[in-house]
Amino acid sequence: MNIKVIVWQEEDVWCAKVPALSGCHTWAENYDDLMVMVKEAIEGWLEVAHEKELPEQKDNEQLVEISL
């Protein structure tokens, strides 16, 4: 699975947000740590979303599960 992440630097802090996952963002002191943190943030976001009640599906939709 590929997902787009917006990455930027503010002073001495690296930041990232995932536009496809509302509210999914993180930061770290360097780029390498940021990549680890953003993967953990995505996994955590998806885990919480999975635990919440699933939205009602339309007749032509199906629910599928993927692994990162």
Side-chain angles (χ1 to χ4, degrees), residues 8-56:
W8 70 96
Q9 190 174 14
E10 291 183 10
E11 298 176 16
D12 293 333
V13 177
W14 282 89
C15 306
K17 66 180 177 179
V18 183
L21 307 177
S22 178
C24 185
H25 49 83
T26 191
W27 64 274
E29 293 182 5
N30 62 61
Y31 183 84
D32 291 334
D33 288 345
L34 180 66
M35 293 298 103
V36 172
M37 295 296 292
V38 77
K39 287 177 184 179
E40 290 177 1
I42 291 168
E43 290 171 351
W45 192 100
L46 292 172
E47 184 177 320
V48 169
H50 179 72
E51 291 172 359
K52 289 185 174 184
E53 185 176 326
L54 298 173
E56 186 174 324

